[in-house]
Amino acid sequence: MSWTRYEMHKNRKIKKGILKGALLMLFLLLTVFIINFYRATVEHPPKAGDLSSLQLVRIETDTNKFFYGNNWLRKSKSGLYEMYLEGGPFERGVAFGKLTRELLYYQEEAFVEQIRKLVPSETYLKFLKYFVGWFSRDLGKHIPEEYLLEIYGTSFSSSPAFDFIGTGYQRQLNYHAAHDIGHALQALKMTGCTSFSFWGGKSSDSTLITARNFDFYAGQKFAENKIIVFCNPESGLKFMMITWADMIGVVSGMNEKGLTVTINAARSAIPLKATTPVTILAREILQYAGDIAQAVSISEKRKLFVSESLLISSAADGKTVIIEKSPEKFDVVLPQSDQIICANHFLGSAFSDDKTNIENIYGSDSKYRFERVGELLDMVDKVSVRDAAAILRDRKGRGGTDPGMGNPLAINQLIAHHSVIFSPSDLLVWISAGPYQLGEYVAYDLKKVFSGETAGDPVSREISEPDLSIPADTFLFSADYSCYGKYLKMTGDLDNYTRNHEKLPESFETAYIETNPMLYLVYSNLGNYFYENRLYEKANEYYQMALSKDVAGEDERNKLLKLTEKVHKKLGNVHSRN
């Protein structure tokens, strides 16, 4: 072998060695990354000392009536589920899970279906799965041990059918941050709520009243099975909350001291990782705070990863305040009169120069709804509980205009998971039976429930107070409501036609418009269909019609304007080719 060939052979061996070394290093780096990613994203459950509660057997005494130890679940005549829980955190969680096993499967299936509908791309869904895993990598470190144990207890009833998302515990843990993650992925538009409170001279009997719509939308199926939980925890205060299967966090609730907590989302900057979910903070306040000062103290201890308003009403204080929290700032908004209103933007001085909050006020539908509540409160000199229900059900725009059924500008957007009215001094609560806030507001007297008059005996009689209930909205039985049902169905059909590039059935356009002629979304949906099918003149026509209606905020209007610009460019290209 010549010296030159020897050198070439030697160089090739060196290069191969370097390549092998580089590949080995890359393999090792990938292995380390995967191990660290797994360690960082996989939450391991806490250690429960006593597992004996897992050995109890659920007893079904009648259709939709179950016992699990001293805990029980029943379906009332109103359609609302009522549940009593007691004991330590792990025991409560196990009982919650065992009692709602079938409801949990249905709830999780509905939630996953809605996510698939919002995010039809399998590739993006996989990305979301890993994003949420990484984003929530330290979630368990920011949740009190008591609630981790309770969540762990519920996870024993999680169906393996959804293990492709994660283990039962991982899923239940992350579902408690769904409200917050919906903020982080703002394009999903899952949250938007309205609440208000009045007392003293504004109240018909001077007592404190608080009312709220919880507009967390994860599909119609998700809102079907509302659960009213009456909880007697081993430590802290007895409380009630409106929730769904295995959700131990609080979105709306009242405790035995007459302190209420409701949460309203505000626009957030995109967070880098999850900390304390707001529903867990709200639960801690409800379980351990007896007045506003204690609620504020608990709130100051916890770090949220999105921006939230917590409306806190207190029988002890005889008034309501708003705690406003972002990941960086904190404020308490005090009432300036005998009423206070909360939508989805901040009011406090700490956020007066906050860029995100200013953009939210001028770009979203929040300020519009806030002002509409103010209009309606101003129309009534002394507001009663029934007046509060009428405000929660209001479908009009400012000045009584008609923005179309289901418009986010309305207080009643026809998407509410639940609607609730509290009377903290009397420990009375009215909860909408559905659909939305249109059904009967079912009344409960928490003095009776918390005193034990109903605990342990759910089968013999209804535990609600029928004499105090508020009748269903007459709109529920109207031709307009029937049209709204048709609108929802046809919107789903139109989504499918758009996605599959299918031709619309004859007269579909006219029939669809007739279901909800004042709603801008009808026209923008049709515009999107024709845009996707490259019928740009027709798309432009419908986008212009959408812009002529009451659009839900400047952000939405700007999106429509950008779509019209895209259409005009497409039309220009078509004309230039011709």
Side-chain angles (χ1 to χ4, degrees):
M1 180 184 295
S2 68
W3 179 256
T4 303
R5 290 180 63 191
Y6 171 76
E7 283 293 316
M8 290 174 63
H9 178 71
K10 183 179 177 182
N11 288 338
R12 279 199 298 268
K13 287 184 71 176
I14 291 171
K15 287 178 180 178
K16 283 183 179 179
I18 293 172
L19 181 61
K20 285 181 180 179
L23 288 172
L24 179 61
M25 182 62 69
L26 180 62
F27 174 77
L28 290 172
L29 287 172
L30 283 171
T31 302
V32 170
F33 174 78
I34 290 168
I35 291 171
N36 286 332
F37 182 86
Y38 177 82
R39 286 176 176 172
T41 59
V42 175
E43 287 281 0
H44 298 285
K47 291 184 179 180
D50 183 4
L51 302 178
S52 60
S53 59
L54 291 169
Q55 307 308 314
L56 295 174
V57 177
R58 187 180 76 170
I59 299 171
E60 185 173 3
T61 60
D62 199 351
T63 305
N64 289 317
K65 294 183 175 72
F66 304 95
F67 278 99
Y68 194 78
N70 290 331
N71 308 279
W72 51 259
L73 172 73
R74 72 186 303 274
K75 189 174 186 178
S76 71
K77 291 179 181 178
S78 68
L80 295 171
Y81 282 90
E82 299 157 348
M83 175 183 283
Y84 172 77
L85 294 174
E86 66 177 25
F90 182 72
E91 291 75 21
R92 293 194 305 267
V94 170
F96 199 162
K98 298 292 185 181
L99 288 168
T100 63
R101 185 174 62 238
E102 295 82 5
L103 295 178
L104 174 58
Y105 180 87
Y106 187 84
Q107 206 76 24
E108 191 162 13
E109 183 181 51
F111 188 72
V112 172
E113 279 180 11
Q114 182 66 12
I115 294 298
R116 287 188 181 279
K117 188 180 295 184
L118 291 167
V119 188
S121 166
E122 286 294 326
T123 301
Y124 191 50
L125 277 172
K126 287 179 181 177
F127 165 75
L128 280 181
K129 173 184 174 180
Y130 292 113
F131 165 78
V132 171
W134 179 254
F135 180 77
S136 304
R137 61 194 180 275
D138 292 328
L139 186 60
K141 297 176 183 177
H142 296 275
I143 296 176
E145 181 78 4
E146 175 180 3
Y147 303 134
L148 290 176
L149 283 166
E150 197 165 344
I151 292 168
Y152 181 41
T154 69
S155 71
F156 282 87
S157 298
S158 296
S159 170
F162 304 101
D163 282 353
F164 65 92
I165 300 172
T167 67
Y169 176 68
Q170 291 163 3
R171 300 198 314 269
Q172 292 306 316
L173 189 64
N174 278 286
Y175 290 157
H176 282 77
H179 178 88
D180 313 68
I181 291 170
H183 281 37
L185 306 172
Q186 290 179 30
L188 297 185
K189 288 191 174 296
M190 297 170 71
T191 57
C193 309
T194 310
S195 56
F196 59 94
S197 185
F198 53 91
W199 58 92
K202 190 63 181 175
S203 174
S204 62
D205 60 0
S206 77
T207 58
L208 173 64
I209 301 294
T210 296
R212 78 95 105 251
N213 287 336
F214 181 61
D215 293 320
F216 177 80
Y217 187 72
Q220 288 181 294
K221 283 177 65 176
F222 188 83
E224 286 177 8
N225 300 314
K226 291 180 273 288
I227 303 174
I228 318 305
V229 174
F230 304 100
C231 188
N232 181 12
E234 192 174 62
S235 62
L237 300 165
K238 298 174 186 176
F239 63 90
M240 64 75 56
M241 63 180 180
I242 304 115
T243 189
W244 49 91
D246 288 22
M247 172 63 171
I248 68 117
V250 167
V251 294
S252 306
M254 179 163 66
N255 67 27
E256 63 180 314
K257 295 291 186 181
L259 182 128
T260 75
V261 183
T262 61
I263 60 174
N264 284 37
R267 183 174 295 185
S268 299
I270 297 176
L272 298 177
K273 69 174 184 176
T275 50
T276 303
V278 67
T279 60
I280 295 297
L281 170 60
R283 166 66 185 272
E284 188 176 10
I285 291 171
L286 197 63
Q287 189 174 341
Y288 290 102
D291 57 30
I292 289 171
Q294 291 173 356
V296 170
S297 177
I298 292 170
S299 184
E300 286 180 309
K301 291 191 304 183
R302 302 296 175 196
K303 180 177 176 60
L304 301 185
F305 60 95
V306 292
S307 298
E308 292 280 345
S309 296
L310 294 96
L311 191 76
I312 308 293
S313 296
S314 166
D317 298 284
K319 65 180 180 182
T320 298
V321 303
I322 303 172
I323 297 174
E324 297 181 339
K325 279 182 72 71
S326 75
E328 299 84 21
K329 299 176 184 178
F330 178 86
D331 206 348
V332 178
V333 178
L334 302 176
Q336 301 302 307
S337 63
D338 288 349
Q339 67 181 49
I340 197 165
I341 304 168
C342 184
N344 297 108
H345 62 277
F346 288 145
L347 306 171
S349 58
F351 297 92
S352 59
D353 296 324
D354 185 270
K355 181 183 176 184
T356 302
N357 189 48
I358 292 169
E359 290 174 351
N360 186 28
I361 290 171
Y362 290 102
S364 75
D365 49 74
S366 177
K367 184 172 180 285
Y368 188 103
R369 280 184 284 113
F370 181 94
E371 291 174 349
R372 178 59 178 164
V373 174
E375 279 184 359
L376 294 172
L377 287 173
D378 288 345
M379 290 179 187
V380 184
D381 184 39
K382 302 280 187 179
V383 185
S384 67
V385 169
R386 294 202 173 207
D387 293 328
I391 293 173
L392 292 173
R393 288 169 169 169
D394 182 68
R395 292 172 284 107
K396 299 293 185 181
R398 287 183 309 207
T401 58
D402 182 4
M405 296 178 288
N407 195 317
L409 292 173
I411 298 166
N412 178 4
Q413 303 173 43
L414 294 172
I415 61 170
H417 176 274
H418 66 261
S419 182
V420 59
I421 304 169
F422 298 105
S423 177
S425 299
D426 298 321
L427 288 183
L428 293 172
V429 58
W430 291 262
I431 301 159
S432 60
Y436 320 118
Q437 53 273 73
L438 302 178
E440 174 189 18
Y441 276 90
V442 181
Y444 294 90
D445 185 340
L446 300 192
K447 292 191 295 293
K448 292 182 181 179
V449 177
F450 290 153
S451 68
E453 288 183 36
T454 57
D457 183 25
V459 176
S460 61
R461 63 183 179 87
E462 293 283 318
I463 65 171
S464 61
E465 303 293 328
D467 293 342
L468 298 176
S469 68
I470 299 171
D473 192 337
T474 55
F475 171 68
L476 184 59
F477 313 106
S478 69
D480 281 345
Y481 182 70
S482 178
C483 283
Y484 184 68
K486 293 175 185 176
Y487 157 74
L488 292 177
K489 182 184 182 305
M490 293 184 78
T491 299
D493 293 340
L494 182 59
D495 286 343
N496 290 330
Y497 295 140
T498 304
R499 192 177 303 116
N500 299 322
H501 297 280
E502 295 178 14
K503 185 178 179 180
L504 292 181
E506 189 176 349
S507 73
F508 182 93
E509 293 172 60
T510 302
Y512 184 48
I513 291 170
E514 286 176 351
T515 65
N516 206 351
M518 298 303 293
L519 183 65
Y520 78 97
L521 289 169
V522 169
Y523 306 96
S524 64
N525 290 340
L526 286 168
N528 293 340
Y529 168 81
F530 287 108
Y531 181 87
E532 290 298 321
N533 285 278
R534 301 182 180 181
L535 298 169
Y536 300 122
E537 289 187 2
K538 195 84 169 177
N540 183 56
E541 178 185 332
Y542 277 117
Y543 286 145
Q544 295 300 330
M545 292 172 75
L547 285 165
S548 72
K549 303 297 180 183
D550 289 326
V551 179
E554 285 303 306
D555 291 343
E556 281 291 295
R557 178 171 291 279
N558 288 334
K559 286 179 184 177
L560 282 170
L561 289 171
K562 286 180 181 178
L563 285 170
T564 61
E565 289 175 9
K566 288 174 69 175
V567 167
H568 290 156
K569 286 181 181 178
K570 295 287 186 181
L571 286 171
N573 292 337
V574 170
H575 293 152
S576 64
R577 284 198 298 269
N578 294 336

